[in-house]
Amino acid sequence: MQHLVDTTDFSEAQIERIFNDARAFKKEMPPKLLSDKLLITLFFESSTRTRSSFEVAAKRLGASVVHLDPSKSSTKKGESLEDTFSNLCAMEPDGVIIRHEYNNTPRKLADKELIPVINAGAGQYAHPTQALLDYFTILEHFDGDIKGKTIAIVGDIVSSRVASSGIRLFTRMGLNVVLVAPKPFMPEKGLPKYEHIHEVIDSVDIVMSLRAQLERHKAPIFEDYEEYAKEYCITKERFGDREILLLHPGPVMRNIDISNEMLSDPRCKVLEQVKNGVFVRMAILKELLLK
Ligand code: NCD
C-alpha cells in the first residue's frame, strides 16, 4: 500500500511515470481505469481548486467519490479524527483524500496502513499534488529542459505548504530555488534569500507568487496589504518584457499577489496549472490505486 503524504513518497521513476501518464491523459482522455474504485474526500479546511480537481480527476477515470463535510460530521460531536478515519475505512473505500490544518495528520492516518492516504494539504508542511502539478507545468513550459533554470518563490513562504513541498521537490529535481519575501514571511531555509524582487528579476526563469496565509497568522503581520503589494505584487512594470513563467497556486489576491494586467498576460499560467492539476491528479490516483 502506498500513500502520498509528500512528494518524497514517490521515487523519481514514479514521478516520471506519473508525468508520462498525465501527458497522455492531456492529449486524449483515457478509458475509465478506476470504475470499480471509490474515494472519500475529507476536507477540514476550505478548498476550491484542490477538492474539485481531485473529484474531477477521480470521475474522469470512472471512480466514485463520497465527500464528507467535517463541519457536519461526528468530529463535531467529539469523535477523534482517528476514530472517524477508522470508521470510514471500515466502509472499505479504495482511498482517502484529506486536507487538514495540522502538519502531521496525513502521516498519522497513513501510518495506520488501513488504506492509501492522499494528502491534499496539511498545515504549513506539505501539499504534494500542488508541487507535482507545478513542476509538471514548469517541465511542460520548458519542454523538459530545466537545466540551470531558477525559480523565485515570492510572498508568504514561511506559512505556505505549497512552498514547503515545492522547495523539496524543485531542489531534488535540480531547479535553483531563491526566496523573495519580507522578513516576517521568510523561512529558515538554507536557500538564497532576498527582500526585493528587483534583486532577482534579471536572473530568474520562473516566478511563483504566493498568497499571504492570513488564516494561519496568529496576529496580523501587515496592517495594510496595499503597502505589501507595493513591494511584492507581480506587475507589468516589475516583469518588463522578460520571458518569465509566472505561476501561483491560487487563490490569487488580485492586485496584491499579481496585478489584474499580469493575470491576463500570456506569461501567467495560473489557469494552465489548474488544468494540468486534473491530469496530474488522475495519474497520481492511477499510480496509487491500480497496484
Ligand atoms: C493553496 C493551499 O490551500 O495550500 N491552495 C491550493 O491548494 N491551490 C494555497 C493557498 O491557500 O494560498
Side-chain angles (χ1 to χ4, degrees):
M1 178 182 313
Q2 192 176 13
H3 310 280
L4 177 58
V5 174
D6 195 21
T7 57
T8 44
D9 288 323
F10 284 148
S11 66
E12 270 143 61
Q14 273 188 302
I15 294 175
E16 200 175 314
R17 186 159 61 226
I18 287 166
F19 284 5
N20 284 339
D21 279 341
R23 256 177 244 117
F25 296 165
K26 194 173 179 178
K27 264 200 203 119
E28 195 186 335
M29 270 303 163
K32 307 274 185 240
L33 302 167
L34 302 181
S35 56
D36 59 341
K37 306 291 183 196
L38 186 136
L39 289 155
I40 297 184
T41 60
L42 196 51
F43 278 66
F44 286 87
E45 286 188 337
S46 321
S47 174
T48 303
R49 274 152 291 271
T50 306
R51 183 184 148 192
S52 44
S53 178
F54 266 117
E55 285 197 34
V56 171
K59 286 179 177 169
R60 289 272 190 233
L61 290 174
S64 314
V65 181
V66 170
H67 178 68
L68 182 75
D69 178 355
S71 69
K72 298 192 180 71
S73 76
S74 286
T75 41
K76 285 272 165 217
K77 299 182 192 167
E79 185 176 57
S80 75
L81 174 63
E82 281 93 335
D83 285 341
T84 303
F85 178 74
S86 304
N87 278 269
L88 293 175
C89 290
M91 299 175 201
E92 302 188 330
D94 299 283
V96 168
I97 298 167
I98 181 156
R99 167 171 286 195
H100 198 270
E101 65 189 298
Y102 294 153
N103 290 350
N104 64 348
T105 297
R107 179 65 72 202
K108 218 163 62 184
L109 300 182
D111 284 348
K112 291 174 169 283
E113 294 297 339
L114 292 171
I115 204 173
V117 170
I118 302 173
N119 176 8
Q124 309 170 0
Y125 158 67
H127 194 346
T129 59
Q130 183 70 44
L132 286 162
L133 78 89
D134 291 340
Y135 183 54
F136 180 86
T137 306
I138 292 168
L139 283 179
E140 187 177 57
H141 181 81
F142 292 106
D143 253 337
D145 183 14
I146 54 142
K147 204 161 173 269
K149 298 273 188 283
T150 300
I151 180 168
I153 303 181
V154 179
D156 187 359
I157 305 168
V158 74
S159 305
S160 169
R161 54 195 172 208
V162 174
S164 305
S165 275
I167 289 169
R168 284 191 288 273
L169 181 65
F170 302 155
T171 50
R172 173 180 173 199
M173 296 303 173
L175 271 172
N176 304 315
V177 181
V178 302
L179 310 178
V180 182
K183 284 199 182 77
F185 285 173
M186 188 62 89
E188 301 261 327
K189 295 238 186 314
L191 290 169
K193 298 185 180 82
Y194 301 88
E195 217 171 320
H196 306 285
I197 296 176
H198 69 79
E199 297 174 78
V200 300
I201 197 73
D202 283 318
S203 52
V204 299
D205 307 281
I206 310 148
V207 165
M208 178 188 281
S209 165
L210 297 171
R211 181 180 69 91
Q213 305 277 303
L214 303 180
E215 70 279 19
R216 295 185 206 287
H217 301 161
K218 288 189 184 79
I221 293 184
F222 291 94
E223 263 177 35
D224 183 357
Y225 274 87
E226 310 238 320
E227 281 301 309
Y228 165 87
K230 280 192 194 139
E231 276 291 339
Y232 299 99
C233 184
I234 307 298
T235 60
K236 209 143 192 172
E237 294 73 60
R238 287 219 155 88
F239 256 41
D241 295 330
R242 297 173 186 88
E243 277 303 319
I244 298 173
L245 169 65
L246 176 57
L247 304 176
H248 191 299
V252 176
M253 296 209 289
R254 277 181 177 266
N255 298 318
I256 293 176
D257 306 340
I258 302 179
S259 69
N260 280 342
E261 194 181 17
M262 278 309 291
L263 278 167
S264 46
D265 188 284
R267 290 169 290 182
C268 177
K269 298 289 185 214
V270 168
L271 293 180
E272 196 62 26
Q273 287 172 272
V274 175
K275 181 183 203 155
N276 286 339
V278 171
F279 301 115
V280 170
R281 290 188 174 100
M282 285 168 72
I284 290 169
L285 292 177
K286 176 185 167 216
E287 179 72 20
L288 293 175
L289 301 189
L290 279 192
K291 280 214 163 159

